[in-house]
Amino acid sequence: MADFRIDIISDFVCPWSYLGYNRLKQAIDQLGDDYRFEIKWQPFELHPDIETQGVERERYLGEKFGSLEKLTEATHALQQIGIEEGIQFNFTDKDILPNTFSAHRLIMIANKSGLSTQLALALYNAYFTEGKNIGDIEILTDIAKNIGMKEEDIEEAFTEKSKLIIEKKIKRFQEIDILSAPTYVIDDKFMIHGAHTPDSFFKVLTDIAKNR
């Protein structure tokens, strides 16, 4: 029996973070019952400059990509990858690109109750498939309740204390040069950047287990 702790440093508006977890999960399933995993979700802000209420996705990302045409091309490519991997990426011209800071506060609390992966997947689905503004506290609260989080835990997520902890975490990751999402830290020793293939994740995990 091999035990792993994996810290997933990601953002909920990052499609490669979503795809990366999907691929990691395939590798975990392939490893079978001889391996146990403790997964913790950690904060990364892909767009830290976005205001609290969010911004128009097409306007903001159109500027990032250089033009609306380039954004549309990248979006279509992403949607094709999603089809191949069983993830539905839906986008419209009315979409809001949210500020995800509050979502990170919520998942930090969910880490303590073992609900963080369930919450992460619900957040990804809410944003990428349902087009919801996951920066909105009411929407986040509904998502959290739907996956079974207790009301007092949800309230704790939106306290000043949780805000300060997330700020410190983000700063700490920047100090150790974690500057992209997704990033995976395994057993506090091994770091993997990017949404690797399931086979690649499988090889890394089995190699780590063999060399312990």
Side-chain angles (χ1 to χ4, degrees), residues 1 36 73 94 126 134 169:
M1 179 70 70
R36 291 184 303 197
E73 182 179 337
K94 295 182 175 62
I134 58 169
K169 280 178 174 281

Side-chain angles (χ1 to χ4, degrees), residues 6-26:
I6 303 179
D7 288 281
I8 301 177
I9 301 157
S10 62
D11 199 4
F12 303 111
V13 294
C14 173
W16 295 105
S17 293
Y18 194 4
L19 288 163
Y21 175 75
N22 191 54
R23 295 169 181 179
L24 174 64
K25 181 62 166 57
Q26 291 178 55

Side-chain angles (χ1 to χ4, degrees), residues 11-78:
D11 199 4
F12 303 111
V13 294
C14 173
W16 295 105
S17 293
Y18 194 4
L19 288 163
Y21 175 75
N22 191 54
R23 295 169 181 179
L24 174 64
K25 181 62 166 57
Q26 291 178 55
I28 289 173
D29 289 344
Q30 189 179 351
L31 285 165
D33 295 336
D34 288 337
Y35 296 80
R36 291 184 303 197
F37 292 87
E38 179 188 10
I39 291 178
K40 300 292 186 182
W41 293 79
Q42 306 293 353
F44 184 94
E45 289 186 290
L46 194 63
H47 309 295
D49 57 322
I50 288 180
E51 49 258 40
T52 303
Q53 68 270 23
V55 297
E56 294 176 8
R57 175 184 176 273
E58 283 196 349
R59 177 176 61 82
Y60 183 90
L61 292 183
E63 292 175 1
K64 291 276 186 179
F65 278 82
S67 69
L68 186 57
E69 289 75 18
K70 288 181 180 178
L71 171 61
T72 300
E73 182 179 337
T75 298
H76 288 164
L78 175 64

Side-chain angles (χ1 to χ4, degrees), residues 123-138:
L123 290 169
Y124 283 129
N125 182 73
Y127 175 65
F128 284 111
T129 302
E130 298 176 354
K132 293 182 179 179
N133 180 357
I134 58 169
D136 184 279
I137 298 297
E138 289 187 8

